[in-house]
């Protein structure tokens, strides 16, 4: 009888609603995960296969192509829903399509266009969906140097993430929001620098305790992303 006492059984990893299996193909392989996921969730598998996406294109051209497809689909869906507004006729599809569009605009650094998309979504979203768009608006504000505004928005969003049954204090969403608060505070300077250092230390402790959390599979990634932010800020 073989001695298997030293063999470690691989524990099945939980799959969350935000996890998505982006195809490992030449077109998708060099694109950011978020771009692939937020595009693919707008289409069925058969619709994707009909797009004939060219894997030899450079990344910016791929992102522009995806944006063009999404804008065309949005126009078609708006026309089909008329005279009712799409955000009323099919709010889920509206959210998916606009999220895909905003993602591509963000990746392509199309700042005015992204700002307009965020404005529209804040005006047409409610409840938790609106909080999600506030979070994306905060990321945009951080990108354009409006650090105090970014911090204020993220502090509106973070308590929802930390207390949500679906998420929680050590969820990827809450930790990502916390990293942006750290960055926003540090870049404001003055007394905010000390606050940023304190929050960074607390976040590092939270990540080190993730080994027994339901989000344990993200621990290494979260540790690395925090380290990258701290190195960039020289904290």
């Amino acid at each position: 009888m073989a001695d298997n006492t030293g063999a470690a059984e691989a524990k099945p990893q939980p799959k969350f609603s935000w996890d998505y299996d982006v195809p490992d193909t030449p077109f998708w392989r060099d694109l950011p995960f978020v771009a692939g996921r937020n595009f693919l969730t707008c289409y069925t598998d058969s619709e994707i296969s009909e797009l004939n996406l060219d894997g030899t294109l450079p990344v910016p051209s791929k992102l522009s192509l995806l944006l063009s497809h999404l804008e065309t689909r949005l126009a078609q869906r708006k026309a089909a829903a008329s005279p009712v507004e799409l955000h009323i006729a099919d709010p889920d599809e509206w959210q998916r399509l606009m999220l895909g569009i905003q993602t591509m605009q963000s990746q392509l650094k199309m700042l005015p266009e992204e700002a307009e998309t965020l404005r529209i979504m804040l005006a047409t979203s409610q409840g938790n969906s609106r909080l999600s768009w506030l979070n994306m608006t905060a990321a945009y504000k951080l990108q354009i140097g409006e650090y105090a505004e970014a911090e204020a928005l993220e502090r509106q969003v973070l308590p929802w993430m930390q207390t949500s049954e679906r998420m929680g204090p050590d969820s990827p969403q809450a930790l990502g929001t916390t990293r942006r608060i750290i960055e926003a505070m540090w870049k404001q300077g003055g007394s905010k620098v000390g606050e940023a250092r304190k929050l960074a230390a607390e976040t590092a402790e939270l990540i080190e305790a993730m080994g027994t959390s339901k989000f344990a599979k993200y621990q290494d990634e979260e540790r690395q992303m925090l380290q990258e932010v701290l190195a960039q800020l020289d904290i």
Side-chain angles (χ1 to χ4, degrees):
M1 186 184 226
D3 181 5
N4 292 322
T5 55
E9 287 187 17
K11 290 176 68 175
Q13 296 290 339
K15 190 163 187 177
F16 299 96
S17 59
W18 53 81
D19 290 330
Y20 192 91
D21 296 324
V22 176
D24 185 19
T25 63
F27 185 87
W28 301 106
R29 200 169 291 142
D30 56 355
L31 287 176
F33 166 77
V34 68
R37 180 194 63 194
N38 291 351
F39 179 86
L40 291 165
T41 52
C42 295
Y43 296 83
T44 65
D45 289 343
S46 61
E47 287 171 336
I48 293 292
S49 65
E50 291 171 4
L51 293 178
N52 296 318
L53 300 170
D54 182 359
T56 66
L57 292 172
V59 168
S61 297
K62 290 181 181 181
L63 293 168
S64 295
L65 177 62
L66 297 181
L67 177 58
S68 176
H69 280 304
L70 288 166
E71 289 174 335
T72 298
R73 189 174 184 87
L74 177 63
Q76 292 169 343
R77 291 296 187 261
K78 281 183 173 180
S82 182
V84 179
E85 295 286 342
L86 182 60
H87 73 271
I88 296 171
D90 193 337
D92 289 340
E93 181 163 36
W94 168 250
Q95 291 280 339
R96 286 195 303 271
L97 286 168
M98 293 298 279
L99 177 59
I101 287 170
Q102 181 268 336
T103 301
M104 304 312 155
Q105 291 169 338
S106 177
Q107 293 290 328
L108 290 164
K109 308 297 183 190
M110 298 171 61
L111 297 179
E113 293 84 356
E114 183 185 3
E116 178 61 10
T117 299
L118 292 167
R119 185 196 66 76
I120 291 169
M121 295 314 294
L122 288 176
T124 58
S125 301
Q126 297 179 346
N128 292 345
S129 292
R130 191 171 191 279
L131 285 170
S132 293
W133 285 99
L134 278 178
N135 193 37
M136 286 176 271
T137 302
Y140 172 82
K141 295 284 188 182
L142 185 58
Q143 185 179 6
I144 63 173
E146 296 182 4
Y147 305 128
E149 293 88 341
E151 181 192 355
L153 287 172
E154 291 293 32
R155 289 194 181 280
Q156 288 185 55
V157 174
L158 186 59
W160 161 59
M161 292 180 170
Q162 291 176 325
T163 58
S164 165
E165 227 176 273
R166 190 171 65 95
M167 294 178 276
D170 60 348
S171 64
Q173 293 85 351
L175 291 171
T177 295
T178 303
R179 283 194 304 275
R180 284 191 289 275
I181 292 174
I182 292 168
E183 184 177 352
M185 287 196 299
W186 181 267
K187 289 182 174 178
Q188 288 175 68
S191 63
K192 292 284 186 179
V193 170
E195 294 179 47
R197 283 200 177 100
K198 183 174 182 291
L199 183 56
E202 292 170 353
T203 305
E205 289 179 7
L206 188 59
I207 291 171
E208 291 312 311
M210 283 177 71
T212 56
S213 160
K214 66 180 180 179
F215 299 118
K217 71 175 185 176
Y218 300 115
Q219 185 180 40
D220 290 342
E221 183 181 3
E222 292 297 335
R223 186 186 290 122
Q224 180 181 346
M225 287 191 291
L226 179 62
Q227 289 171 350
E228 287 173 356
V229 168
L230 300 186
Q232 173 196 343
L233 300 174
D234 196 23
I235 295 182

